[in-house]
């Protein structure tokens, strides 16, 4: 499926086609043509489109396979950019990744996604349809930046979500840490690292567009690109900071857990240590020697009890002063 | 609310307005116009100001939203800079962050803050009012540097406060560390990291102003900029150093706590170990076998007591020589 | 053994020779000549070939000895590149390394391997033989890129294999970690580090070919080189990410193991601690003092049992509320 | 106090003044004038000097306040450099820091220190006075390099002192580590980090002098600057190496201490574990059941003793073969 | 002592002198003059040589003092290079360091070593004497590269030795680690770090020779320099890799040791825990209360024994199912 949006300051058309031929026949040089292509279903289209727009062979490969990190490449006929759209599942704290590829020509923009419905581009489509803001007046390069912008705005959202989660975890760990927090920290760390990996090359690619994007990106659009660049940098710095905090949090958690454990072991060992000598004394007077003079004395039993009390008190005080419990 | 300060070597006027129109009508090309704007209350002003001073759309966004790291941008009409004003609450050891945005034109300076009262700019205002120092003679770019300067001076103060706190903690940890120190170290670490994150991009931005700030920043002002740059570098290096020291401190703390724990456990285990064989011996002679020749001997009891004493002494000496307690 | 493949758009010849003379006599300037040389067996050939193709002395050394990291060097007569072919043994999780050296001239390509059979180049040979794709039309530089491409594709495969293994280990460690996982993590870490070391210099060498490869690499082939560059970068970033994850995994494993241990020790110590005072009490009334009034009372025994039960219950409740077990 | 040294190949004068006027009146354009100024006492002098030598306002600030890291700045009238003079107290292993600022003009050098007596510059003064070496023949820039040189030589000394201390500590930790070593390591680490922080920016500043120092630094002096640069680099690399070694040492120490602890705990636990079943057996035959057939047998007691011996021997052998003690 | 070797394609002379005068008188502009100087003994020579070859003052210092890291410097009259010759003592696993300084002029090469006998240059001397290879035909710069080459080849040897040692240690640690391995790892780590520190600056210096070495290094020699550069890079990367592996190995060792310890402690604690309640029960029936009905029953003793067996079995099964031993 191809969603085809054609617009000019005074013109707007939005159609959904299933065959590229009909779309290609309606392309209009005097308007901006946005082809939003679903690559989930069928690949034969791609070849047809690739031929029409002169897409390089390696580029088709980049669009269809998703292992690539974000990258941009400037060809004679168009500019190619691929980046990662991140979607957060707030329940499982997992981030799902979808690749978006964009081909920007003079008056057209091709976007390749895996799923067209319910995506983050709806906001831009709405603005085009209702001629809100600057988008209908501006060129295809502005649309291109705008779409990158909404993708990057989602990164900010994910950053904030992670930050909140880590703030919560920090409070728990400084309060009453539990074993399960280890797993939560480990999972968050993995997600933060994954997201960071997708964002890292993006800043360099956006910077490259600013310096080498000519003639596909017009000078007037640079301010928007610079803005996106700043956002990406901020998100990346934020993610790095979260990564460091998670590392510290893990260390703190281990330290707190080990402290709790130590306190328990110390108390229990103190109890054991106080009773050991007393039990020994009781054992002594439980022996069956015929000649044990103390056993015959009427004061023997209470004297021993007093002695035991004294030993227990003495040991307790000594340990107390040594701050052992 | 807008605090409007207009000055020239022989002129000084300070007014507080609530509507931008009256301020805009009083702008004077032959004097320096400083508009100190409170953006906490109302945003409609911003649009009006933005139109008058030709502020770019993305720039309005940067002024009103505070997620950005420090950054600067040079436009045709003016120079934009945003940085973080840090305020230290000495009680809770927390640093609160306020964003300050500045727009520097030929003869005007706009500053956008969230709160006007009791801020760090009072010192500069006082100097302007009483024509102290060079500020009344110099241009808007000098005022701009001066304001950056006071913001950065606050960073130094925060650095020194953190350093003192860490010195104190270091003494405690090398002396008698307690569990609560872990939390203090963790909190300080978090604050230091946060502040570091705000300061890091500032040095690069100030350096950029020096190389690209022309014509908004005059050459004569470069020495002041260079000074601010050095301060920012020093603060950043200092913060990094504090971060490393806090990391070492945490490790040291854990090592000290674990050493204390080990000493306790070892002593207690030594006590237990000495009494275990003695209790066993007492148990032997507490048995009720009919034929236990030792029990019948008059020397049985004192002999056993002597044996026990010997065992205890032997074990103690052996452990002592092995330095086990 | 030398496998000699000579091709042009309309021509294909594939022979296997044991003496270089016959090969050298058949070289054809109007076609692409690919000499795939097995250097496992005999070195005398190399000298002969080196003389014919003007290979530098140090270069012969690089081809025969395998300690070098990937590197490229541009000579007047040809371009030299050496890289590592990685082969994964899925059973032992070990990566075996084979060095491939390539000498690219105007219309010839020499490849030096340690073993010719069953290697990753078969795919390219098949494409040449059956004139599939672009390879028969293009020059020796395209063949050169193509061969590099298949080597790098193997890196991606190894990366994916490692990633799966680490995902599995992560699940185990978050579930029921065992001691043997430590060894698995350590081994994987070693392999990932090794592979990373071989890949790291490759990106820089490929980038160098793009900027300095002229005239051996034609402009049209740059897109393929850039593609290989991106792959190498992606694999390297992926390997670094895996390295970090393995480090985190090791820490997590230790934390989980130590937690398990702590839980066991705590439970056991709690049991011991509850019985110690009870045993002491039993010891008291096992003493043989003549005057122990409690022993004579009919309620003595049940009262003591009740007291013991009370002590055990009290301690258990106290520990329970302290969450000690 | 100002120590004023004026020299030329055939001329030498050394005076100590308390008022700058007398010094300024004696400045001689045909000789090298070195003003060594004590800034500990009074600041009014500085203003007077600053006016005479056209020192910038920010520069006066840099001279009087000591928070700055090493930095250099090149003005129209002179070159400014500030660096840290380090003094080692071998008793407390503490490094005290003194700031030295230098202003190099065409034929004069101002040095600002906190204390004039007993400093490291004595050596240079002696060489000037006795016309030793090249210094009397060369210009003010050579004097400037020479003074930097002696400051940096002190760094080398400190580095060597730290290295020796760490070697000693390493021997102790590999031999018989004690708890107090932790504190020593922590203190050394702090000092090494502090010194490293002062040295780090110096290399860059010296490099800057070499490239931009013209016309204040003559080409002939570059070899000396390059030498200082190499020294600074060597010291910095050495300090970094020491930092890493101290980190490793701390880890090693913890590992050794924990090993010692483990050995003790294991031995003690083994003793306890052997006696626990024996004590239980003794408890069994200490029970007062009426019908315990074993108690009546004449062989009961020796048989039990033999059994106990057997159990103890069996457990000991089992543990021995498991290498538990 | 000076070993003086003079050679040209058709000429060879090798002499050993004790006074530099005789050597200096025999220098021949039409041949290559190699002065191999032993600086262990006497320094007066150096001054004489320095005067003859116009060596700079700082350079004499560099030759005689050995604290410098490898560095090169290009003078008007010659090129200076100093690097570290490493010698491995396979017994103690210690690397001894000797500084080699080289001064390369148009037709002469001075090498300064601490000891002349049994060094790594013998191989080159032999090749010169017997006119093997290219060395007799080539210039002094080739000799210079050749000598650097043999020094660097020794680094490779040391790298391989370390790698083997670490492989051995890895096998031990994954098998049956012992406490002494900690010391071995620590020592290896120290040696690897030391060697790495000596190698690190060398790559940069060799690269500098390639770009700035003109006219002392001829273009034809660049391929050899580049080869040395690659070797140094490979060795450095290898050393870094070894450093990382040793770090991982230390962590792994600690984890293994702690696991062993845990297993012992757990088993012993399990034994103790099972016997504690049994001993308590025996204690109960060892009490001397007059009214203890169970004691009078004939089934009392066997019933208790059965109960004890039941408790022991129950606890054992429970612990077994919890995988506590």
């Amino acid at each position: 499926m191809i969603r085809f949006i054609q617009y000019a300051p005074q013109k707007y058309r939005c159609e959904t086609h299933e065959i590229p031929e009909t779309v290609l026949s309606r392309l209009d040089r005097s308007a901006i043509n946005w082809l939003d292509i679903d690559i989930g279903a069928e690949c034969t289209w791609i070849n047809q489109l690739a031929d029409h727009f002169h897409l390089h062979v390696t580029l088709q490969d980049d669009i269809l396979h998703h292992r690539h990190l974000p990258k941009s490449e400037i060809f004679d006929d168009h500019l190619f950019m691929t980046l990662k759209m991140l979607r957060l599942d707030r329940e499982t704290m997992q981030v799902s990744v979808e690749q978006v590829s964009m081909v920007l020509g003079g008056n057209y923009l091709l976007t390749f996604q895996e799923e067209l419905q319910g995506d983050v581009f709806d906001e831009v489509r709405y603005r085009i349809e209702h001629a809100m803001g600057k988008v209908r007046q501006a060129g295809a390069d502005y649309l291109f930046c705008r779409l990158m912008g909404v993708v990057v705005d989602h990164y900010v959202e994910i950053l904030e979500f992670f930050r909140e989660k880590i703030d919560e975890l920090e409070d728990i760990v400084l309060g009453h840490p539990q074993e399960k927090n280890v797993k939560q920290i480990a999972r968050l760390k993995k997600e933060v690292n994954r997201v960071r990996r997708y964002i890292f090359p993006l800043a360099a690619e956006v910077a490259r567009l600013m310096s080498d994007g000519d003639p596909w990106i017009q000078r007037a659009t640079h301010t928007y690109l610079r803005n996106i660049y700043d956002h990406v940098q901020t998100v990346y710095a934020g993610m790095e900071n979260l990564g460091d905090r998670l590392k510290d949090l893990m260390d703190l958690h281990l330290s707190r857990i080990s402290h709790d454990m130590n306190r328990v072991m110390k108390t229990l060992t103190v109890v054991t240590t106080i009773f050991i000598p007393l039990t020994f004394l009781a054992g002594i007077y439980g022996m069956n020697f015929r000649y044990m003079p103390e056993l015959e004395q009427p004061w023997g039993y209470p004297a021993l009890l007093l002695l035991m009390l004294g030993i227990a008190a003495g040991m307790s005080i000594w340990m107390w002063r040594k701050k052992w419990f």
Side-chain angles (χ1 to χ4, degrees), chain A:
Chain A
M1 249 179 46
I2 301 173
R3 188 176 303 172
F4 174 53
I5 297 180
Q6 193 174 55
Y7 66 87
Q10 302 305 332
K11 180 176 176 183
Y12 174 76
R13 178 202 293 214
C14 176
E15 299 165 348
T16 305
H17 295 271
E18 303 225 335
I19 328 170
E21 281 88 352
T22 51
V23 178
L24 295 177
S25 66
R26 303 203 186 191
L27 291 177
D28 180 358
R29 294 218 147 234
S30 67
I32 307 297
N33 302 280
W34 175 16
L35 283 74
D36 197 4
I37 301 142
D38 182 344
I39 54 167
E42 224 176 313
C43 297
T44 46
W45 295 3
I46 305 298
N47 287 333
Q48 220 169 329
L49 284 168
D51 287 349
H52 185 269
F53 292 105
H54 308 293
L55 304 187
H56 197 275
V57 185
T58 61
L59 208 151
Q60 294 176 40
D61 200 67
D62 289 341
I63 289 169
L64 291 174
H65 296 92
H66 308 138
R67 277 175 187 162
H68 274 293
L69 294 181
K71 71 166 195 169
S72 69
E73 197 159 0
I74 293 152
F75 292 92
D76 292 341
D77 294 320
H78 45 253
L79 182 154
F80 173 69
M81 173 113 203
T82 173
L83 71 171
K84 300 289 180 186
M85 194 186 282
L86 302 179
R87 235 185 270 264
L88 178 73
D89 183 338
R90 282 167 187 276
E91 290 308 302
T92 62
M93 298 201 316
Q94 286 224 330
V95 173
S96 66
V97 179
E98 193 183 314
Q99 182 168 298
V100 179
S101 304
M102 299 200 270
V103 174
L104 171 67
N107 68 332
Y108 62 88
L109 178 72
L110 315 183
T111 53
F112 300 87
Q113 306 178 60
E114 281 161 77
E115 263 181 68
L116 289 189
Q117 280 127 321
D119 65 11
V120 296
F121 291 168
D122 278 340
E123 181 199 331
V124 179
R125 285 191 206 100
Y126 185 86
R127 287 180 152 262
I128 295 176
E129 188 178 347
H130 296 85
M132 284 168 70
K134 218 182 112 177
V135 67
R136 283 273 279 269
Q137 273 74 36
D141 58 337
Y142 181 78
L143 176 62
F144 171 79
C145 287
R146 202 68 209 227
L147 294 178
M148 265 210 282
V150 294
V151 168
V152 169
D153 281 349
H154 261 238
Y155 295 175
V156 177
E157 213 175 279
I158 287 169
L159 177 74
E160 288 311 310
F161 175 76
F162 282 159
R163 208 195 295 280
E164 272 162 39
K165 277 280 158 217
I166 292 170
D167 282 343
E168 277 170 32
L169 270 171
E170 220 157 42
D171 288 347
I172 292 169
V173 167
L174 283 173
H176 299 288
Q178 284 174 291
E179 175 58 12
K180 66 173 180 177
N181 302 137
V182 164
K183 290 192 195 180
Q184 291 170 337
I185 295 172
R187 267 204 210 103
L188 264 175
K189 209 168 176 179
K190 197 180 156 190
E191 288 305 307
V192 165
N193 271 340
R194 248 178 87 218
V195 170
R196 192 159 64 166
R197 202 155 66 88
Y198 293 133
I199 296 175
F200 178 63
L202 194 54
E205 296 301 333
V206 173
R208 238 181 102 218
L209 288 189
M210 279 192 283
S211 61
D212 304 338
D214 200 47
W216 308 113
I217 308 275
Q218 290 160 37
R219 251 218 75 75
T221 321
H222 275 209
T223 306
Y224 297 95
L225 264 184
R226 164 102 195 160
N227 215 29
I228 290 170
Y229 179 80
D230 288 334
H231 269 86
V232 173
Q233 289 286 67
T234 303
V235 172
Y236 186 71
M239 285 288 172
E240 258 196 334
N241 181 254
L242 292 189
D244 289 350
R245 274 176 68 193
L246 282 168
K247 203 175 160 345
D248 288 352
L249 201 55
M250 186 64 111
D251 290 349
L252 186 63
H253 186 267
L254 292 179
S255 139
R256 300 266 316 156
I257 287 283
S258 131
H259 167 80
D260 283 8
M261 173 72 194
N262 281 356
R263 219 179 22 170
V264 174
M265 292 297 286
K266 216 153 69 175
T267 309
L268 298 181
T269 316
V270 161
V271 168
T272 306
T273 311
I274 289 174
F275 278 102
I276 285 281
L278 306 184
T279 305
F280 165 67
L281 279 179
I284 288 285
Y285 293 106
M287 293 192 300
N288 300 318
F289 283 104
R290 181 159 296 180
Y291 308 102
M292 290 180 70
E294 301 96 317
L295 293 180
E296 310 302 322
Q297 311 301 333
W299 48 261
Y301 180 49
L304 180 66
L305 287 188
L306 276 178
L307 175 65
M308 283 175 168
L309 206 69
I311 289 174
M315 284 178 78
S316 300
I317 289 168
W318 182 67
M319 287 174 184
W320 180 265
R321 289 174 65 179
K322 286 224 162 197
K323 303 201 173 168
W324 285 5
F325 64 99

